[in-house]
Amino acid sequence: RFDLAGKVPSNATITSVDLTLRVTKTPPTLSAVPSTFGLHRVTQIWSEGSGSGVRGGPARAGETTWNARTFPSTSWSAPGAEAGSDYVAKSSSSKAIVGLGNYVFASTTDFVADVQAWLANPAANFGWMLISQSEGSAFTARRFSSRENPATSPTLVINYTAPVTVSPEGSISQVAVVEGNSGVASAVFA
């Protein structure tokens, strides 16, 4: 999730959105299968929790798991979440992922609509769920960097237009770059 409230003007019109994610681990080179991943807008509240690391372990109260939006009290509609109930079935943007490195999920009308809706109603901002379109195939798993590593955290770039405020002295107020909770959100006036 990227917290947009107060970082992009509430009266802004979003014109494009790009999200850069870094793949930090893939299956063994000879086994890895290219997979297209889609970003699906989540429609239910979930909890990030406070655990960290890459080795896994028992879920702590308040964390999200395969079975629970908020462990142990609130389950997904089905294990792993269910299209149409927990997330939007149609992806907002997608990208073919092969090996390690940065991947940009490019702007689409659905991607723009997601961010515009979150700007209008921050309480409905539950982020996106990243889903491989080849979930049933072996060796399509990938590890993506998260905000815990600032050097490789997700980057959301938002281009928008907004009415310009001119003070009585004639100066123009504007913001060029905004930092978000889950990486950096660059806000660029068009």
Side-chain angles (χ1 to χ4, degrees), residues 51-62:
S52 65
V54 296
R55 299 194 68 73
R60 298 178 188 162

Side-chain angles (χ1 to χ4, degrees), residues 20 79 187:
T20 301

